[in-house]
Amino acid sequence: GNSVTQMEGPVTLSEEAFLTINCTYTATGYPSLFWYVQYPGEGLQLLLKATKADDKGSNKGFEATYRKETTSFHLEKGSVQVSDSAVYFCALKTGNQFYFGTGTSLTVIP
Amino acid sequence: ETGVTQTPRHLVMGMTNKKSLKCEQHLGHNAMYWYKQSAKKPLELMFVYSLEERVENNSVPSRFSPECPNSSHLFLHLHTLQPEDSALYLCASSQGGSGINYEQYFGPGTRLTVT
């Protein structure tokens, strides 16, 4: 079946620290991969996406590379800010269905 | 502002009440979705309407009933809910069609509390 596994949170980092949030997936066929972010009191917003192997999605300093050989799509940012505090969701799309991970809560402290 | 609106934003209802959640998208999409978000669980897809075809998660209880009168509007009708149904209900839309890799746009959600 199709599923997404992402690292357990919560994650707490100091401002300007390096961020990695791991995400691995299981899928039939060739899925597209996404990272969504959810700020307090809001719905999910698309952060970045990659539609085929070796694609790199990037936005707002965040990056993730579609690794077919390791079935992974890890989220990275070189220097986090307090405003990056949110919950991050990894997701895959195959056909017309989306599958989401459980979310990883990130808190960045000044 | 993502182009997807949901009302109400907060709802408290008793187990014997009937209420409806509303979602509207202004993006010209042709697929709409209902998700349930509970703490420490993956987003649970409840229903999909895509190109006038409805897909549902068979594990969703019959006390949840969706309605999609057109491609811009989606409702979730609620009746005789249980306390464990308390959650954030998220609506999303996207371009539909199998194999097309469009992302979803989410509304802000309705925080439902069942007492």
Side-chain angles (χ1 to χ4, degrees):
Chain A
N2 300 302
S3 67
V4 174
T5 302
Q6 55 182 110
M7 64 186 285
E8 293 276 336
V11 175
T12 302
L13 295 174
S14 297
E15 207 165 20
E16 299 184 2
F18 185 86
L19 169 71
T20 301
I21 301 178
N22 290 339
C23 172
T24 57
Y25 67 89
T26 303
T28 54
Y30 302 95
S32 292
L33 301 175
F34 304 83
W35 277 101
Y36 282 83
V37 59
Q38 186 177 30
Y39 298 102
E42 299 183 14
L44 279 68
Q45 301 173 28
L46 178 69
L47 181 59
L48 52 85
K49 69 177 182 180
T51 58
K52 60 183 188 298
D54 300 324
D55 267 3
K56 177 186 281 189
S58 61
N59 185 26
K60 300 180 181 180
F62 291 89
E63 292 182 341
T65 302
Y66 190 142
R67 301 283 188 203
K68 191 168 186 292
E69 64 276 14
T70 55
T71 62
S72 64
F73 193 55
H74 304 321
L75 182 68
E76 296 182 337
K77 186 174 185 182
S79 176
V80 293
Q81 306 300 311
V82 172
S83 57
D84 294 326
S85 298
V87 181
Y88 293 82
F89 292 88
C90 185
L92 71 85
K93 180 179 189 287
T94 177
N96 208 31
Q97 299 268 7
F98 287 80
Y99 300 84
F100 286 82
T102 53
T104 301
S105 174
L106 170 67
T107 301
V108 180
I109 54 178
Chain B
E1 182 63 44
T2 62
V4 181
T5 57
Q6 290 186 242
T7 53
R9 292 293 307 275
H10 300 273
L11 177 62
V12 179
M13 58 186 288
M15 289 190 284
T16 58
N17 292 157
K18 290 185 180 181
K19 296 285 184 184
S20 296
L21 310 185
K22 179 182 176 183
C23 176
E24 185 173 357
Q25 59 96 1
H26 311 275
L27 300 168
H29 290 161
N30 55 15
M32 296 188 78
Y33 308 75
W34 279 117
Y35 287 91
K36 177 183 179 182
Q37 185 178 25
S38 303
K40 301 191 187 306
K41 292 184 180 179
L43 277 177
E44 177 186 353
L45 178 65
M46 301 176 74
F47 302 101
V48 181
Y49 280 86
S50 176
L51 302 171
E52 302 182 359
E53 178 186 348
R54 172 174 145 180
V55 175
E56 58 189 89
N57 179 342
N58 291 330
S59 67
V60 176
S62 59
R63 55 187 183 267
F64 294 91
S65 173
E67 179 190 0
C68 191
N70 54 61
S71 60
S72 299
H73 294 86
L74 183 65
F75 296 89
L76 187 63
H77 303 301
L78 317 171
H79 64 97
T80 58
L81 295 191
Q82 302 299 309
E84 60 264 28
D85 298 322
S86 298
L88 182 68
Y89 288 84
L90 292 166
C91 173
S93 71
S94 73
Q95 286 299 104
S98 176
I100 297 174
N101 298 312
Y102 290 105
E103 62 268 23
Q104 291 181 314
Y105 291 78
F106 283 81
T110 295
R111 174 67 62 185
L112 173 67
T113 303
V114 180
T115 60

